[in-house]
PDB file of all heavy atoms in Angstrom:
ATOM      1  N   LEU A 328     -63.737 -69.899  36.051  1.00 93.00           N
ATOM      2  CA  LEU A 328     -64.582 -69.063  36.906  1.00 93.00           C
ATOM      3  C   LEU A 328     -65.544 -69.990  37.643  1.00 93.00           C
ATOM      4  O   LEU A 328     -66.433 -70.572  37.040  1.00 93.00           O
ATOM      5  CB  LEU A 328     -65.331 -68.042  36.057  1.00 93.00           C
ATOM      6  CG  LEU A 328     -66.345 -67.151  36.783  1.00 93.00           C
ATOM      7  CD1 LEU A 328     -65.656 -66.311  37.853  1.00 93.00           C
ATOM      8  CD2 LEU A 328     -67.076 -66.258  35.782  1.00 93.00           C
ATOM      9  N   GLY A 366     -72.226 -58.971  30.575  1.00 86.00           N
ATOM     10  CA  GLY A 366     -71.837 -57.591  30.841  1.00 86.00           C
ATOM     11  C   GLY A 366     -71.285 -57.426  32.245  1.00 86.00           C
ATOM     12  O   GLY A 366     -70.318 -56.681  32.466  1.00 86.00           O
ATOM     13  N   ALA A 367     -71.884 -58.114  33.202  1.00 90.00           N
ATOM     14  CA  ALA A 367     -71.390 -58.047  34.582  1.00 90.00           C
ATOM     15  C   ALA A 367     -69.975 -58.616  34.682  1.00 90.00           C
ATOM     16  O   ALA A 367     -69.117 -58.081  35.395  1.00 90.00           O
ATOM     17  CB  ALA A 367     -72.333 -58.812  35.509  1.00 90.00           C
ATOM     18  N   LEU A 368     -69.728 -59.702  33.934  1.00 90.00           N
ATOM     19  CA  LEU A 368     -68.388 -60.288  33.929  1.00 90.00           C
ATOM     20  C   LEU A 368     -67.380 -59.310  33.323  1.00 90.00           C
ATOM     21  O   LEU A 368     -66.253 -59.164  33.818  1.00 90.00           O
ATOM     22  CB  LEU A 368     -68.410 -61.604  33.144  1.00 90.00           C
ATOM     23  CG  LEU A 368     -67.074 -62.348  33.024  1.00 90.00           C
ATOM     24  CD1 LEU A 368     -66.524 -62.703  34.402  1.00 90.00           C
ATOM     25  CD2 LEU A 368     -67.245 -63.605  32.179  1.00 90.00           C
ATOM     26  N   GLU A 369     -67.796 -58.619  32.257  1.00 88.00           N
ATOM     27  CA  GLU A 369     -66.911 -57.638  31.632  1.00 88.00           C
ATOM     28  C   GLU A 369     -66.640 -56.463  32.575  1.00 88.00           C
ATOM     29  O   GLU A 369     -65.514 -55.952  32.655  1.00 88.00           O
ATOM     30  CB  GLU A 369     -67.524 -57.134  30.327  1.00 88.00           C
ATOM     31  CG  GLU A 369     -67.587 -58.189  29.235  1.00 88.00           C
ATOM     32  CD  GLU A 369     -68.260 -57.676  27.982  1.00 88.00           C
ATOM     33  OE1 GLU A 369     -69.434 -57.242  28.064  1.00 88.00           O
ATOM     34  OE2 GLU A 369     -67.616 -57.697  26.928  1.00 88.00           O
ATOM     35  N   ILE A 370     -67.663 -56.022  33.293  1.00 90.00           N
ATOM     36  CA  ILE A 370     -67.478 -54.953  34.284  1.00 90.00           C
ATOM     37  C   ILE A 370     -66.528 -55.412  35.376  1.00 90.00           C
ATOM     38  O   ILE A 370     -65.626 -54.673  35.808  1.00 90.00           O
ATOM     39  CB  ILE A 370     -68.844 -54.544  34.882  1.00 90.00           C
ATOM     40  CG1 ILE A 370     -69.670 -53.800  33.830  1.00 90.00           C
ATOM     41  CG2 ILE A 370     -68.652 -53.678  36.128  1.00 90.00           C
ATOM     42  CD1 ILE A 370     -71.095 -53.524  34.267  1.00 90.00           C
ATOM     43  N   LEU A 371     -66.708 -56.652  35.832  1.00 91.00           N
ATOM     44  CA  LEU A 371     -65.848 -57.195  36.879  1.00 91.00           C
ATOM     45  C   LEU A 371     -64.379 -57.126  36.485  1.00 91.00           C
ATOM     46  O   LEU A 371     -63.515 -56.812  37.303  1.00 91.00           O
ATOM     47  CB  LEU A 371     -66.251 -58.647  37.171  1.00 91.00           C
ATOM     48  CG  LEU A 371     -65.314 -59.435  38.091  1.00 91.00           C
ATOM     49  CD1 LEU A 371     -65.325 -58.852  39.500  1.00 91.00           C
ATOM     50  CD2 LEU A 371     -65.694 -60.911  38.103  1.00 91.00           C
ATOM     51  N   LEU A 372     -64.104 -57.395  35.215  1.00 88.00           N
ATOM     52  CA  LEU A 372     -62.717 -57.508  34.767  1.00 88.00           C
ATOM     53  C   LEU A 372     -62.221 -56.249  34.050  1.00 88.00           C
ATOM     54  O   LEU A 372     -61.192 -56.288  33.387  1.00 88.00           O
ATOM     55  CB  LEU A 372     -62.567 -58.729  33.855  1.00 88.00           C
ATOM     56  CG  LEU A 372     -62.877 -60.060  34.551  1.00 88.00           C
ATOM     57  CD1 LEU A 372     -62.888 -61.200  33.563  1.00 88.00           C
ATOM     58  CD2 LEU A 372     -61.874 -60.328  35.663  1.00 88.00           C
ATOM     59  N   GLY A 373     -62.954 -55.154  34.180  1.00 87.00           N
ATOM     60  CA  GLY A 373     -62.484 -53.895  33.615  1.00 87.00           C
ATOM     61  C   GLY A 373     -62.552 -53.821  32.110  1.00 87.00           C
ATOM     62  O   GLY A 373     -61.935 -52.937  31.505  1.00 87.00           O
ATOM     63  N   LEU A 374     -63.305 -54.731  31.481  1.00 81.00           N
ATOM     64  CA  LEU A 374     -63.407 -54.742  30.025  1.00 81.00           C
ATOM     65  C   LEU A 374     -64.574 -53.898  29.532  1.00 81.00           C
ATOM     66  O   LEU A 374     -64.789 -53.770  28.326  1.00 81.00           O
ATOM     67  CB  LEU A 374     -63.563 -56.193  29.529  1.00 81.00           C
ATOM     68  CG  LEU A 374     -62.465 -57.161  29.966  1.00 81.00           C
ATOM     69  CD1 LEU A 374     -62.777 -58.568  29.483  1.00 81.00           C
ATOM     70  CD2 LEU A 374     -61.101 -56.708  29.463  1.00 81.00           C
ATOM     71  N   ARG A 375     -65.331 -53.340  30.466  1.00 81.00           N
ATOM     72  CA  ARG A 375     -66.488 -52.530  30.100  1.00 81.00           C
ATOM     73  C   ARG A 375     -66.730 -51.503  31.194  1.00 81.00           C
ATOM     74  O   ARG A 375     -66.557 -51.795  32.378  1.00 81.00           O
ATOM     75  CB  ARG A 375     -67.724 -53.430  29.927  1.00 81.00           C
ATOM     76  CG  ARG A 375     -69.024 -52.692  29.644  1.00 81.00           C
ATOM     77  CD  ARG A 375     -70.125 -53.722  29.397  1.00 81.00           C
ATOM     78  NE  ARG A 375     -71.437 -53.074  29.253  1.00 81.00           N
ATOM     79  CZ  ARG A 375     -72.558 -53.737  29.005  1.00 81.00           C
ATOM     80  NH1 ARG A 375     -72.528 -55.054  28.876  1.00 81.00           N
ATOM     81  NH2 ARG A 375     -73.698 -53.099  28.890  1.00 81.00           N
ATOM     82  N   VAL A 395     -69.905 -56.642  41.872  1.00 94.00           N
ATOM     83  CA  VAL A 395     -69.730 -57.860  41.082  1.00 94.00           C
ATOM     84  C   VAL A 395     -68.478 -58.551  41.612  1.00 94.00           C
ATOM     85  O   VAL A 395     -67.407 -57.932  41.715  1.00 94.00           O
ATOM     86  CB  VAL A 395     -69.573 -57.564  39.575  1.00 94.00           C
ATOM     87  CG1 VAL A 395     -69.505 -58.883  38.796  1.00 94.00           C
ATOM     88  CG2 VAL A 395     -70.716 -56.701  39.064  1.00 94.00           C
ATOM     89  N   GLY A 397     -66.127 -62.274  41.401  1.00 94.00           N
ATOM     90  CA  GLY A 397     -65.876 -63.517  40.684  1.00 94.00           C
ATOM     91  C   GLY A 397     -64.803 -64.325  41.378  1.00 94.00           C
ATOM     92  O   GLY A 397     -63.734 -63.792  41.712  1.00 94.00           O
ATOM     93  N   PHE A 399     -62.235 -67.159  40.873  1.00 93.00           N
ATOM     94  CA  PHE A 399     -61.538 -67.923  39.844  1.00 93.00           C
ATOM     95  C   PHE A 399     -60.628 -68.956  40.497  1.00 93.00           C
ATOM     96  O   PHE A 399     -60.033 -68.700  41.554  1.00 93.00           O
ATOM     97  CB  PHE A 399     -60.680 -66.992  38.976  1.00 93.00           C
ATOM     98  CG  PHE A 399     -61.456 -66.088  38.071  1.00 93.00           C
ATOM     99  CD1 PHE A 399     -61.986 -64.892  38.544  1.00 93.00           C
ATOM    100  CD2 PHE A 399     -61.662 -66.414  36.734  1.00 93.00           C
ATOM    101  CE1 PHE A 399     -62.710 -64.049  37.724  1.00 93.00           C
ATOM    102  CE2 PHE A 399     -62.374 -65.586  35.903  1.00 93.00           C
ATOM    103  CZ  PHE A 399     -62.904 -64.402  36.391  1.00 93.00           C
ATOM    104  N   LEU A 424     -58.568 -67.013  43.284  1.00 92.00           N
ATOM    105  CA  LEU A 424     -58.476 -65.590  42.980  1.00 92.00           C
ATOM    106  C   LEU A 424     -59.873 -64.981  43.110  1.00 92.00           C
ATOM    107  O   LEU A 424     -60.765 -65.306  42.329  1.00 92.00           O
ATOM    108  CB  LEU A 424     -57.949 -65.394  41.557  1.00 92.00           C
ATOM    109  CG  LEU A 424     -57.269 -64.070  41.229  1.00 92.00           C
ATOM    110  CD1 LEU A 424     -55.945 -63.973  41.971  1.00 92.00           C
ATOM    111  CD2 LEU A 424     -57.018 -63.995  39.734  1.00 92.00           C
ATOM    112  N   ILE A 426     -61.888 -61.729  42.726  1.00 94.00           N
ATOM    113  CA  ILE A 426     -61.870 -60.382  42.161  1.00 94.00           C
ATOM    114  C   ILE A 426     -63.204 -59.717  42.478  1.00 94.00           C
ATOM    115  O   ILE A 426     -64.265 -60.305  42.267  1.00 94.00           O
ATOM    116  CB  ILE A 426     -61.646 -60.410  40.644  1.00 94.00           C
ATOM    117  CG1 ILE A 426     -60.333 -61.147  40.322  1.00 94.00           C
ATOM    118  CG2 ILE A 426     -61.606 -59.001  40.068  1.00 94.00           C
ATOM    119  CD1 ILE A 426     -60.055 -61.281  38.840  1.00 94.00           C
ATOM    120  N   ARG A 428     -65.430 -55.947  42.207  1.00 93.00           N
ATOM    121  CA  ARG A 428     -65.534 -54.561  41.746  1.00 93.00           C
ATOM    122  C   ARG A 428     -66.803 -53.958  42.321  1.00 93.00           C
ATOM    123  O   ARG A 428     -67.893 -54.518  42.182  1.00 93.00           O
ATOM    124  CB  ARG A 428     -65.545 -54.478  40.221  1.00 93.00           C
ATOM    125  CG  ARG A 428     -65.296 -53.041  39.737  1.00 93.00           C
ATOM    126  CD  ARG A 428     -65.102 -52.962  38.260  1.00 93.00           C
ATOM    127  NE  ARG A 428     -64.586 -51.649  37.887  1.00 93.00           N
ATOM    128  CZ  ARG A 428     -64.585 -51.175  36.650  1.00 93.00           C
ATOM    129  NH1 ARG A 428     -65.058 -51.917  35.656  1.00 93.00           N
ATOM    130  NH2 ARG A 428     -64.096 -49.983  36.392  1.00 93.00           N
ATOM    131  N   ASN A 452     -57.728 -49.584  38.076  1.00 89.00           N
ATOM    132  CA  ASN A 452     -58.540 -50.027  36.947  1.00 89.00           C
ATOM    133  C   ASN A 452     -57.673 -50.522  35.797  1.00 89.00           C
ATOM    134  O   ASN A 452     -58.061 -51.442  35.069  1.00 89.00           O
ATOM    135  CB  ASN A 452     -59.433 -48.877  36.474  1.00 89.00           C
ATOM    136  CG  ASN A 452     -60.586 -48.616  37.442  1.00 89.00           C
ATOM    137  OD1 ASN A 452     -60.978 -49.499  38.204  1.00 89.00           O
ATOM    138  ND2 ASN A 452     -61.104 -47.400  37.430  1.00 89.00           N
ATOM    139  N   ALA A 453     -56.495 -49.907  35.621  1.00 90.00           N
ATOM    140  CA  ALA A 453     -55.591 -50.356  34.566  1.00 90.00           C
ATOM    141  C   ALA A 453     -55.113 -51.780  34.842  1.00 90.00           C
ATOM    142  O   ALA A 453     -55.035 -52.619  33.939  1.00 90.00           O
ATOM    143  CB  ALA A 453     -54.407 -49.400  34.446  1.00 90.00           C
ATOM    144  N   MET A 454     -54.782 -52.067  36.102  1.00 92.00           N
ATOM    145  CA  MET A 454     -54.384 -53.429  36.477  1.00 92.00           C
ATOM    146  C   MET A 454     -55.534 -54.398  36.252  1.00 92.00           C
ATOM    147  O   MET A 454     -55.344 -55.508  35.745  1.00 92.00           O
ATOM    148  CB  MET A 454     -53.961 -53.471  37.949  1.00 92.00           C
ATOM    149  CG  MET A 454     -52.661 -52.772  38.271  1.00 92.00           C
ATOM    150  SD  MET A 454     -52.313 -52.862  40.049  1.00 92.00           S
ATOM    151  CE  MET A 454     -50.737 -51.998  40.121  1.00 92.00           C
ATOM    152  N   LEU A 455     -56.732 -53.965  36.640  1.00 92.00           N
ATOM    153  CA  LEU A 455     -57.914 -54.822  36.494  1.00 92.00           C
ATOM    154  C   LEU A 455     -58.129 -55.201  35.031  1.00 92.00           C
ATOM    155  O   LEU A 455     -58.424 -56.364  34.722  1.00 92.00           O
ATOM    156  CB  LEU A 455     -59.142 -54.089  37.035  1.00 92.00           C
ATOM    157  CG  LEU A 455     -60.465 -54.847  36.957  1.00 92.00           C
ATOM    158  CD1 LEU A 455     -60.440 -56.063  37.870  1.00 92.00           C
ATOM    159  CD2 LEU A 455     -61.629 -53.923  37.331  1.00 92.00           C
ATOM    160  N   LYS A 456     -57.968 -54.245  34.145  1.00 90.00           N
ATOM    161  CA  LYS A 456     -58.171 -54.528  32.722  1.00 90.00           C
ATOM    162  C   LYS A 456     -57.131 -55.513  32.222  1.00 90.00           C
ATOM    163  O   LYS A 456     -57.436 -56.417  31.430  1.00 90.00           O
ATOM    164  CB  LYS A 456     -58.105 -53.232  31.920  1.00 90.00           C
ATOM    165  CG  LYS A 456     -58.444 -53.440  30.446  1.00 90.00           C
ATOM    166  CD  LYS A 456     -58.504 -52.123  29.699  1.00 90.00           C
ATOM    167  CE  LYS A 456     -58.877 -52.360  28.233  1.00 90.00           C
ATOM    168  NZ  LYS A 456     -58.929 -51.105  27.465  1.00 90.00           N
ATOM    169  N   GLN A 457     -55.881 -55.368  32.682  1.00 89.00           N
ATOM    170  CA  GLN A 457     -54.844 -56.324  32.290  1.00 89.00           C
ATOM    171  C   GLN A 457     -55.208 -57.731  32.744  1.00 89.00           C
ATOM    172  O   GLN A 457     -55.065 -58.694  31.996  1.00 89.00           O
ATOM    173  CB  GLN A 457     -53.496 -55.912  32.892  1.00 89.00           C
ATOM    174  CG  GLN A 457     -52.779 -54.816  32.139  1.00 89.00           C
ATOM    175  CD  GLN A 457     -51.389 -54.581  32.713  1.00 89.00           C
ATOM    176  OE1 GLN A 457     -51.220 -53.866  33.690  1.00 89.00           O
ATOM    177  NE2 GLN A 457     -50.400 -55.190  32.118  1.00 89.00           N
ATOM    178  N   VAL A 458     -55.667 -57.841  33.976  1.00 90.00           N
ATOM    179  CA  VAL A 458     -56.071 -59.149  34.501  1.00 90.00           C
ATOM    180  C   VAL A 458     -57.232 -59.703  33.685  1.00 90.00           C
ATOM    181  O   VAL A 458     -57.267 -60.892  33.353  1.00 90.00           O
ATOM    182  CB  VAL A 458     -56.455 -59.030  35.995  1.00 90.00           C
ATOM    183  CG1 VAL A 458     -57.045 -60.337  36.503  1.00 90.00           C
ATOM    184  CG2 VAL A 458     -55.255 -58.636  36.821  1.00 90.00           C
ATOM    185  N   GLY A 459     -58.186 -58.830  33.344  1.00 88.00           N
ATOM    186  CA  GLY A 459     -59.334 -59.268  32.550  1.00 88.00           C
ATOM    187  C   GLY A 459     -58.935 -59.827  31.207  1.00 88.00           C
ATOM    188  O   GLY A 459     -59.461 -60.860  30.757  1.00 88.00           O
ATOM    189  N   GLU A 460     -57.976 -59.162  30.539  1.00 84.00           N
ATOM    190  CA  GLU A 460     -57.541 -59.632  29.230  1.00 84.00           C
ATOM    191  C   GLU A 460     -56.764 -60.940  29.332  1.00 84.00           C
ATOM    192  O   GLU A 460     -56.716 -61.716  28.381  1.00 84.00           O
ATOM    193  CB  GLU A 460     -56.692 -58.554  28.561  1.00 84.00           C
ATOM    194  CG  GLU A 460     -57.510 -57.322  28.167  1.00 84.00           C
ATOM    195  CD  GLU A 460     -56.665 -56.231  27.552  1.00 84.00           C
ATOM    196  OE1 GLU A 460     -55.430 -56.328  27.635  1.00 84.00           O
ATOM    197  OE2 GLU A 460     -57.235 -55.281  26.987  1.00 84.00           O
ATOM    198  N   ILE A 461     -56.160 -61.186  30.497  1.00 85.00           N
ATOM    199  CA  ILE A 461     -55.444 -62.447  30.707  1.00 85.00           C
ATOM    200  C   ILE A 461     -56.428 -63.589  30.961  1.00 85.00           C
ATOM    201  O   ILE A 461     -56.276 -64.697  30.442  1.00 85.00           O
ATOM    202  CB  ILE A 461     -54.464 -62.312  31.894  1.00 85.00           C
ATOM    203  CG1 ILE A 461     -53.320 -61.357  31.542  1.00 85.00           C
ATOM    204  CG2 ILE A 461     -53.891 -63.688  32.287  1.00 85.00           C
ATOM    205  CD1 ILE A 461     -52.464 -60.985  32.734  1.00 85.00           C
ATOM    206  N   LEU A 462     -57.472 -63.325  31.751  1.00 87.00           N
ATOM    207  CA  LEU A 462     -58.364 -64.387  32.214  1.00 87.00           C
ATOM    208  C   LEU A 462     -59.484 -64.728  31.241  1.00 87.00           C
ATOM    209  O   LEU A 462     -59.855 -65.891  31.111  1.00 87.00           O
ATOM    210  CB  LEU A 462     -58.984 -63.983  33.560  1.00 87.00           C
ATOM    211  CG  LEU A 462     -58.081 -64.050  34.785  1.00 87.00           C
ATOM    212  CD1 LEU A 462     -58.823 -63.539  36.003  1.00 87.00           C
ATOM    213  CD2 LEU A 462     -57.579 -65.461  35.030  1.00 87.00           C
ATOM    214  N   VAL A 463     -60.042 -63.715  30.587  1.00 87.00           N
ATOM    215  CA  VAL A 463     -61.278 -63.928  29.830  1.00 87.00           C
ATOM    216  C   VAL A 463     -61.135 -63.385  28.423  1.00 87.00           C
ATOM    217  O   VAL A 463     -60.585 -62.312  28.207  1.00 87.00           O
ATOM    218  CB  VAL A 463     -62.477 -63.253  30.540  1.00 87.00           C
ATOM    219  CG1 VAL A 463     -63.737 -63.396  29.712  1.00 87.00           C
ATOM    220  CG2 VAL A 463     -62.685 -63.861  31.918  1.00 87.00           C
ATOM    221  N   ASP A 464     -61.654 -64.147  27.473  1.00 80.00           N
ATOM    222  CA  ASP A 464     -61.691 -63.732  26.070  1.00 80.00           C
ATOM    223  C   ASP A 464     -63.158 -63.696  25.667  1.00 80.00           C
ATOM    224  O   ASP A 464     -63.822 -64.731  25.609  1.00 80.00           O
ATOM    225  CB  ASP A 464     -60.908 -64.738  25.222  1.00 80.00           C
ATOM    226  CG  ASP A 464     -60.597 -64.183  23.852  1.00 80.00           C
ATOM    227  OD1 ASP A 464     -61.020 -63.058  23.567  1.00 80.00           O
ATOM    228  OD2 ASP A 464     -59.931 -64.883  23.080  1.00 80.00           O
ATOM    229  N   VAL A 465     -63.681 -62.481  25.422  1.00 77.00           N
ATOM    230  CA  VAL A 465     -65.106 -62.311  25.139  1.00 77.00           C
ATOM    231  C   VAL A 465     -65.321 -62.124  23.648  1.00 77.00           C
ATOM    232  O   VAL A 465     -64.679 -61.291  23.018  1.00 77.00           O
ATOM    233  CB  VAL A 465     -65.675 -61.090  25.903  1.00 77.00           C
ATOM    234  CG1 VAL A 465     -67.152 -60.913  25.583  1.00 77.00           C
ATOM    235  CG2 VAL A 465     -65.467 -61.260  27.398  1.00 77.00           C
ATOM    236  N   VAL A 829     -60.890 -68.380  30.459  1.00 86.00           N
ATOM    237  CA  VAL A 829     -62.330 -68.446  30.201  1.00 86.00           C
ATOM    238  C   VAL A 829     -62.626 -67.854  28.827  1.00 86.00           C
ATOM    239  O   VAL A 829     -62.165 -66.754  28.509  1.00 86.00           O
ATOM    240  CB  VAL A 829     -63.116 -67.669  31.282  1.00 86.00           C
ATOM    241  CG1 VAL A 829     -64.607 -67.810  31.050  1.00 86.00           C
ATOM    242  CG2 VAL A 829     -62.738 -68.143  32.682  1.00 86.00           C
ATOM    243  N   VAL A 831     -65.764 -66.620  26.352  1.00 86.00           N
ATOM    244  CA  VAL A 831     -67.162 -66.208  26.425  1.00 86.00           C
ATOM    245  C   VAL A 831     -67.669 -65.943  25.015  1.00 86.00           C
ATOM    246  O   VAL A 831     -67.066 -65.165  24.273  1.00 86.00           O
ATOM    247  CB  VAL A 831     -67.327 -64.944  27.299  1.00 86.00           C
ATOM    248  CG1 VAL A 831     -68.792 -64.530  27.348  1.00 86.00           C
ATOM    249  CG2 VAL A 831     -66.800 -65.191  28.702  1.00 86.00           C
TER     250      VAL A 831
END
Side-chain angles (χ1 to χ4, degrees):
L328 176 61
L368 179 59
E369 292 177 302
I370 289 172
L371 171 66
L372 298 173
L374 304 177
R375 176 176 174 179
V395 184
F399 289 83
L424 204 69
I426 303 177
R428 194 172 192 195
N452 286 337
M454 290 178 179
L455 180 66
K456 186 174 181 181
Q457 280 186 277
V458 173
E460 291 178 348
I461 292 170
L462 286 177
V463 176
D464 195 358
V465 179
V829 183
V831 180

